[in-house]
Amino acid sequence: MAQGANRTTAQVVGVVVLAAAVTGFLAVAAVRHGFFDLKVYYGALTWWVRDGGEIYDYLKPGTQYGFTYPPFAALVMLPMAYLPWTAAIVVSVLASVATTTVLIWWLVDPIARRAGWTRWFALAVALCLAAAFEPMRETVNFGQVNTLLLFLVAVDLLRLLPAGNRWAGVGIGLATAIKLTPGVFIVYLLVTGRWRAALTASGTAAGVSLLAAALFPDASREFWTEALWNTGRVGELAFVSNQSLRGVVARLDPEHPSTLLWLLLVLGTLALWAWRSRAAVAVGDEATGLALTGAVMCLVSPVTWVHHLVWLLPALILLVDNAMAAPAGRRRQVLLVAATIGYALLISRTVWLWEKDFSGVDGFLGSNAYVWVSLALLAFLPIRRWLTPNGSAVEASGVPQLDQPDRRAPTGQRHLVGRPLTVR
């Protein structure tokens, strides 16, 4: 009893110390954006609902930034127009914290169970580390919707789809209707042969978009015919915050970026992603499928601001998961070092050292540092080997596998990603 109490005390102290250290780090490293993007949403919705303007005509005063999301996103955010500004901030922050907490719990809890860690302690440590993660802190400081979209996709891929639930795909469809880029997960479902889920996702996205069109015909017409194609509303492609392949190419020649080079890089990246995603699904590794698709979305999207890189969070957690599942030795050390390096880069603001001048070899390497992390995760994140109930291994041809002899789960329990069947 005394030993358990001492352990709990030590863990509480450890979490408090870590939280204080992260708070100090954020006080120095975190940039305060004053909920800039949330102000854009709030201003556009207020202009639309209260002042009788057209939502896509609104630009935040003194900027070229306006509402760039589809009309269904405006429908989802509509209650914001009736809230005081402070209340809108509170809702935005709480939504980000809540969705992040649930997602991290789904990914970290299996590691804690298998490694024998105290589960609340593992979650608390992970949340502290997530708070320091630059894409996460940027999402909160900008008032962005990234964690909500990631959560909707994760509900499908980590919970509904592995359990064979007929509603699998609804979350992906909603995320796609709110912001078009999660539509890559519909392609993921198609590439991996989950036709029913892909149809559900496509039908959901189309259905809610038609609902928004019926409610807001003028706004829908303007978005699909004009606002969607106005790339000037999203910002400069060569800006160092654009950590996509398009950003890499644009920084090579900001005046005349090569579209052909970008398309070739995108095609090669998509081919690698399709191969690895199919291999992951072939062995029942839906979590890695989520992580790989999140990474490829960041890479092939024309614009991937730093805060969009919250989609890399599952991949970093899965690196730790794979490390702890591997036997003690070199493989575990390599995976933990890789996770540490990736995480360290993504809390460091490294790319901003080249914000004003990204010329030269150092500029090419440094200003695109987060792109290199995304590519490394896409190419080298381990794919798990699932063992069937009779103990035979399910292999993915040509793909490096991670031995995990404790992972024995019937098909209907594969949503318990990485969890041993006996819970201690």
Side-chain angles (χ1 to χ4, degrees):
M1 183 72 71
Q3 184 177 0
N6 290 338
R7 182 187 185 190
T8 300
T9 301
Q11 289 174 336
V12 170
V13 172
V15 169
V16 170
V17 170
L18 179 60
V22 169
T23 301
F25 172 77
L26 293 177
V28 174
V31 176
R32 304 296 187 270
H33 299 292
F35 300 97
F36 182 94
D37 289 359
L38 188 64
K39 284 181 180 177
V40 173
Y41 310 152
Y42 189 82
L45 289 165
T46 301
W47 163 263
W48 186 37
V49 173
R50 296 184 181 179
D51 300 332
E54 190 59 65
I55 189 168
Y56 294 108
D57 291 340
Y58 174 84
L59 294 178
K60 187 177 184 298
T63 76
Q64 80 272 28
Y65 297 106
F67 194 84
T68 58
Y69 294 166
F72 179 67
L75 176 60
V76 172
M77 297 180 186
L78 194 59
M80 188 189 304
Y82 301 97
L83 293 177
W85 170 239
T86 301
I89 293 175
V90 171
V91 170
S92 174
V93 172
L94 289 179
S96 292
V97 171
T99 52
T100 300
T101 300
V102 174
L103 175 66
I104 290 179
W105 174 256
W106 286 346
L107 293 170
V108 169
D109 187 55
I111 311 175
R113 288 171 176 263
R114 190 172 53 251
W117 300 340
T118 306
R119 295 162 67 195
W120 72 263
F121 177 70
L123 175 64
V125 169
L127 288 174
C128 288
L129 296 177
F133 189 54
E134 184 177 356
M136 186 65 67
R137 66 187 193 237
E138 292 279 286
T139 288
V140 174
N141 282 332
F142 272 116
Q144 264 283 345
V145 298
N146 303 310
T147 60
L148 172 62
L149 302 180
L150 177 53
F151 173 76
L152 287 172
V153 171
V155 168
D156 275 345
L157 298 188
L158 299 184
R159 284 300 189 261
L160 300 185
L161 192 61
N165 191 295
R166 64 190 180 93
W167 294 102
V170 170
I172 291 173
L174 291 174
T176 301
I178 292 171
K179 187 174 182 178
L180 299 178
T181 48
V184 71
F185 285 93
I186 299 178
V187 181
Y188 166 72
L189 294 173
L190 292 171
V191 165
T192 55
R194 271 75 66 79
W195 310 108
R196 177 171 178 169
L199 181 61
T200 300
S202 301
T204 300
V208 297
S209 296
L210 288 173
L211 172 63
L215 294 173
F216 317 124
D218 292 338
S220 296
R221 188 182 309 110
E222 183 170 355
F223 175 78
W224 294 110
T225 61
E226 296 182 30
L228 175 61
W229 314 104
N230 184 0
T231 57
R233 294 164 65 93
V234 298
E236 176 60 42
L237 290 175
F239 183 42
V240 75
S241 183
N242 185 12
Q243 291 293 302
S244 69
L245 293 173
R246 187 63 162 151
V248 173
V249 172
R251 283 186 286 276
L252 288 174
D253 185 358
E255 297 298 323
H256 306 285
S258 172
T259 300
L260 177 60
L261 175 59
W262 173 58
L263 290 175
L264 290 174
L265 290 173
V266 166
L267 288 175
T269 302
L270 287 174
L272 174 62
W273 162 74
W275 173 63
R276 300 211 74 218
S277 294
R278 286 175 62 87
V281 170
V283 293
D285 191 357
E286 207 69 69
T288 297
L290 164 66
L292 294 175
T293 308
V296 84
M297 184 179 71
C298 294
L299 289 166
V300 304
S301 175
V303 175
T304 298
W305 303 134
V306 168
H307 57 79
H308 294 151
L309 295 175
V310 293
W311 291 91
L312 299 183
L313 189 61
L316 291 174
I317 295 175
L318 288 174
L319 274 180
V320 177
D321 189 347
N322 283 289
M324 298 311 299
R330 180 173 177 79
R331 183 180 181 84
R332 175 178 291 186
Q333 293 172 357
V334 168
L335 290 172
L336 287 176
V337 168
T340 301
I341 291 174
Y343 175 77
L345 281 173
L346 286 165
I347 70 170
S348 66
R349 289 187 55 82
T350 295
V351 298
W352 298 99
L353 296 174
W354 289 272
E355 180 181 3
K356 302 299 184 184
D357 181 9
F358 37 74
S359 61
V361 175
D362 66 312
F364 175 72
L365 296 175
S367 69
N368 301 309
Y370 301 166
V371 178
W372 311 142
V373 174
S374 298
L375 283 169
L377 291 170
L378 177 64
F380 300 113
L381 181 65
I383 292 174
R384 296 165 172 156
R385 171 189 297 155
W386 276 95
L387 296 182
T388 62
N390 64 10
S392 60
V394 180
E395 296 286 351
S397 177
V399 180
Q401 298 295 310
L402 179 65
D403 250 337
Q404 297 184 58
D406 61 331
R407 295 194 173 190
R408 302 171 183 266
T411 302
Q413 293 181 341
R414 285 187 178 177
H415 62 292
L416 302 175
V417 178
R419 298 185 183 184
L421 293 182
T422 54
V423 181
R424 298 175 182 176

